[in-house]
Amino acid sequence: MAVAGIRSYVQRPPEGDYAAIVIGSGMSGLTCAALMAREGQRALVLERHYTAGGFTHVFRRGDYEWDVGIHYIGEVHRPESLLASVFRYLTDDKLEWADMGEVYDRIVFGDERFELHAGVDAFSRHLCEQFPSAADRRAIDRYVRLIRETSRAYRSYAMEKALPAPVSRLAGGLLRRRFLRFGGRTTRDVLDGLTDNPKLKGVLTGQYGDYGLPPGQSAFGMHALLAGHYMRGAAFPVGGSSRIAETIAAVIDSAGGVILTKAEVERILIEKSTAVGVKMTDGRELRAPLVISSAGVANTFGRLIARDDRERLGLAGLQDRVDPSWAHVGLYLGFRQTAEELGLQKANYWIYPEGGFDHDANVRAYLADPEREFPVVYISFPSAKDPDWESRYPGRATIDVITLAPYEWFARWEGTRWHRRGQDYEAFKQRLTDRLLDVLYRYEPQLRGKLDHCEMSTPLSTRHFVNYSRGEIYGLAHSPQRFAQRFLRPKTPVRRLWLTGQDITTAGIAGAAASGLLTLSAVRGKDYFRRFA
Ligand SMILES: Cc1cc2nc3c(=O)[nH]c(=O)nc-3n(C[C@H](O)[C@H](O)[C@H](O)COP(=O)(O)OP(=O)(O)OC[C@H]3O[C@@H](n4cnc5c(N)ncnc54)[C@H](O)[C@@H]3O)c2cc1C
């Protein structure tokens, strides 16, 4: 079905002049292009995948559709929030959100269950019911306050990234300090200072899969932003994740801009020290006065800039200063009954080993022996969350099951092609599939015998479709080292080349949208956040 503002590069290459070339059509690239469109400027968004949206894209098989990188988003369902206001602006108020209700996450350790309730008071109250001792209640109270303070301090930390170099040199340290005080330490370190109760720590960090690093390795800053983002509940796009790119594309289109799919950039063209355009993989050169890359720091500095330019401009090795995030496997399941008939709820599951409150220890054991219990299994019920689902896919339900899986386990099939990776690859996937299904059936036993479609994505799928060469689930790892880096900002040493995307802010739709605002703020020298505050 044709969608206004999205078309194939192969069928019709771009025409005319554009104010900017944006590499990648993920949430961040779309944000930049739509902000420009709102100011009457034509942006050309180049996307290598056959579909637009980056991790907001969906894929379809017969009677089913699955969202790849969106399961729930915080804040958007609260009309007064900054994020809701940003989305209204980017989509011309054409995107609706379905509130997930009171419980958004269920955290499970074997048979022990905890629920995260929407609303700061409800969140604390329900946790305190399960952790009633005075010491635990005090720790929960201090935890919630610390989440709020660290999240608030992020604003000036992030805005510093948009400042011109001389101002940043003068005031940068001060603007970053408040966030880094707790945000720059590991999550484990900060929580150790709040409580000695391992179970409470395990529950409070039970969403760590949302940023992909266990407490001993993750920055508390990322944890605080994530926990704070969801603390007032979460929502799902009505009509599925593809509605995000569709509604934003219409805004880009209204100013004469376009998103071209199957349009892979091979090189950023640099003359002296200025970016002048891009060279496509078919050899065509496209020029524009501004180039914005949302393809990730590793791609942009490591692959899209020619080696000579990299070395000449001091970019060599920059991307190696922070490790890539982990990779994942995803199980996409389809059932020939509705979510209601199957008794599926909206709230996600985070499933951990029985008594396995030490997430770092679980991860270590799993990395040493893949047959050990999964350190985390995430389960989402998209068809239960989307009120429009039944009108599009009547009588069907879908479930996503995800666990972490290091890229190294799959590296030996790197040279093979999608769908033709061989018997041993299929057997490895089947083993993981069977084990993940066992976990699902343990918690939703009524599903046994009802599975109609089952498909697994691996880190090689992430590499193939979204161009993360190590199958990274969230770009660069959200470690304390990452938050210490000053080069993760929109401005690059190359004139007229700007970065955007989750790597310069944080993973998540909110992080990616914020990166778009940040990039335009840096490019234009004005605060785009102010408009929505
Ligand atoms: C499994 C999973 C679940 C997630 N769940 C959630 C969730 O529930 N809630 C939430 O808020 N966030 C979630 N996220 C995170 C969120 O989806 C991402 O952080 C966000 O979408 C990243 O946006 P981005 O624009 O920075 O990058 P991307 O979406 O990765 O976009 C970058 C784009 O650049 C394109 N590209 C790369 N190289 C080139 C090239 N050479 N030429 C042209 N195009 C190129 C890629 O194909 C891609 O489309 C999830 C992510 C994953 C992987």
Side-chain angles (χ1 to χ4, degrees):
M1 195 180 68
V3 175
I6 305 178
R7 64 166 205 261
S8 158
Y9 169 79
V10 182
Q11 281 166 7
R12 210 171 109 210
E15 297 138 12
D17 296 330
Y18 289 88
I21 288 173
V22 179
I23 307 170
S25 69
M27 188 63 228
S28 59
L30 293 175
T31 304
C32 292
L35 290 177
M36 294 184 69
R38 288 300 219 145
E39 293 172 354
Q41 293 194 311
R42 298 178 80 203
L44 172 62
V45 184
L46 301 169
E47 169 55 57
R48 66 187 281 285
H49 198 351
Y50 62 73
T51 183
F55 273 125
T56 71
H57 80 267
V58 302
F59 71 96
R60 300 186 175 91
R61 299 277 185 269
D63 288 348
Y64 300 104
E65 161 188 308
W66 291 270
D67 311 86
V68 173
I70 290 196
H71 302 112
Y72 61 147
I73 306 181
E75 296 296 318
V76 282
H77 56 299
R78 302 174 59 240
E80 70 282 15
S81 76
L82 185 132
L83 193 59
S85 156
V86 168
F87 266 104
R88 280 196 297 274
Y89 188 73
L90 296 179
T91 64
D92 201 16
D93 210 1
K94 296 289 192 302
L95 181 60
E96 289 177 71
W97 299 99
D99 192 333
M100 279 173 64
E102 194 182 335
V103 179
Y104 52 98
D105 276 325
R106 291 174 274 182
I107 295 172
V108 178
F109 294 87
D111 286 331
E112 226 175 336
R113 291 166 184 244
F114 303 84
E115 290 178 342
L116 301 186
H117 286 247
V120 180
D121 292 342
F123 177 93
S124 303
R125 197 173 58 250
H126 284 275
L127 271 184
C128 288
E129 279 167 15
Q130 294 193 276
F131 293 94
S133 80
D136 286 345
R137 294 170 76 99
R138 239 187 346 264
I140 292 168
D141 185 50
R142 285 176 60 206
Y143 169 80
V144 170
R145 265 190 285 133
L146 207 48
I147 294 292
R148 197 164 32 211
E149 281 163 25
T150 307
S151 302
R152 277 198 190 133
Y154 181 68
R155 174 93 203 260
S156 46
Y157 169 90
M159 276 318 290
E160 188 275 335
K161 292 170 182 272
L163 294 179
V167 190
S168 161
R169 269 196 294 276
L170 268 179
L174 198 65
L175 290 167
R176 294 161 56 85
R177 192 177 304 152
R178 207 157 67 89
F179 174 73
L180 290 177
R181 184 167 162 236
F182 288 100
R185 291 160 57 188
T186 65
T187 308
R188 159 167 269 181
D189 186 24
V190 173
L191 289 197
D192 282 350
L194 297 179
T195 175
D196 295 328
N197 183 342
K199 190 192 288 188
L200 179 57
K201 284 189 265 194
V203 173
L204 292 177
T205 52
Q207 299 161 299
Y208 85 83
D210 274 333
Y211 48 83
L213 273 186
Q217 297 179 43
S218 60
F220 180 72
M222 182 64 229
H223 175 81
L225 289 169
L226 188 285
H229 174 68
Y230 288 122
M231 215 173 259
R232 291 181 183 82
F236 192 77
V238 176
S241 311
S242 59
R243 290 293 296 150
I244 294 180
E246 282 168 18
T247 50
I248 299 180
V251 170
I252 296 170
D253 177 64
S254 68
V258 69
I259 302 168
L260 296 182
T261 55
K262 300 184 187 169
E264 179 161 10
V265 172
E266 183 178 298
R267 276 275 175 276
I268 294 169
L269 297 172
I270 298 175
E271 291 175 1
K272 295 198 176 128
S273 58
T274 303
V276 294
V278 296
K279 181 177 170 206
M280 308 298 288
T281 45
D282 66 1
R284 187 188 301 263
E285 293 191 358
L286 304 171
R287 295 191 168 235
L290 200 64
V291 178
I292 299 175
S293 177
S294 80
V297 164
N299 276 332
T300 308
F301 289 162
R303 295 159 82 185
L304 295 180
I305 296 182
R307 184 189 295 265
D308 288 357
D309 289 330
R310 259 191 330 248
E311 279 164 13
R312 189 168 56 81
L313 297 164
L315 295 167
L318 268 187
Q319 77 276 4
D320 300 328
R321 289 190 191 170
V322 185
D323 289 337
S325 63
W326 283 15
H328 74 291
V329 292
L331 207 51
Y332 300 97
L333 307 177
F335 296 84
R336 289 183 165 270
Q337 271 179 281
T338 66
E340 201 179 353
E341 285 162 353
L342 293 168
L344 304 179
Q345 293 177 26
K346 294 176 186 169
N348 310 304
Y349 277 121
W350 292 100
I351 296 170
Y352 298 103
E354 183 91 48
F357 305 118
D358 184 342
H359 298 301
D360 289 277
N362 300 338
V363 166
R364 273 195 303 275
Y366 174 67
L367 290 184
D369 176 4
E371 286 294 321
R372 289 288 288 267
E373 210 169 334
F374 293 117
V376 51
V377 175
Y378 171 78
I379 306 180
S380 171
F381 306 95
S383 54
K385 297 175 190 175
D386 178 7
D388 186 51
W389 174 268
E390 186 58 20
S391 72
R392 293 180 295 133
Y393 299 100
R396 302 284 180 273
T398 54
I399 297 179
D400 303 338
V401 184
I402 292 177
T403 192
L404 297 172
Y407 184 77
E408 290 69 31
W409 292 357
F410 299 86
R412 66 191 170 111
W413 294 290
E414 201 177 88
T416 59
R417 285 177 55 207
W418 185 49
H419 276 322
R420 294 201 180 87
R421 301 204 195 276
Q423 286 296 323
D424 46 355
Y425 176 75
E426 293 305 326
F428 188 56
K429 270 175 51 165
Q430 192 57 51
R431 172 83 189 121
L432 287 167
T433 299
D434 293 342
R435 290 178 57 205
L436 286 171
L437 284 175
D438 282 346
V439 177
L440 173 69
Y441 294 147
R442 173 172 177 188
Y443 294 95
E444 298 288 340
Q446 77 284 9
L447 297 176
R448 219 177 258 282
K450 295 187 179 150
L451 187 59
D452 178 47
H453 183 98
C454 175
E455 184 170 340
M456 176 174 271
S457 74
T458 72
L460 295 179
S461 325
T462 311
R463 177 186 157 102
H464 176 74
F465 288 111
V466 210
N467 211 20
Y468 288 92
S469 66
R470 307 281 300 166
E472 299 94 306
I473 180 167
Y474 301 126
L476 298 175
H478 293 81
S479 57
Q481 290 91 303
R482 171 201 179 115
F483 287 92
Q485 301 300 325
R486 301 294 285 261
F487 79 97
L488 296 176
R489 57 199 301 121
K491 192 163 172 48
T492 72
V494 183
R495 279 185 67 231
R496 299 191 183 164
L497 170 66
W498 301 83
L499 296 179
T500 196
Q502 59 185 350
D503 285 349
I504 64 159
T505 47
T506 63
I509 292 306
S515 76
L517 292 173
L518 196 65
T519 300
L520 262 273
S521 300
V523 171
R524 302 270 186 253
K526 66 178 186 193
D527 183 351
Y528 275 74
F529 289 87
R530 190 162 288 173
R531 173 175 304 173
F532 306 104

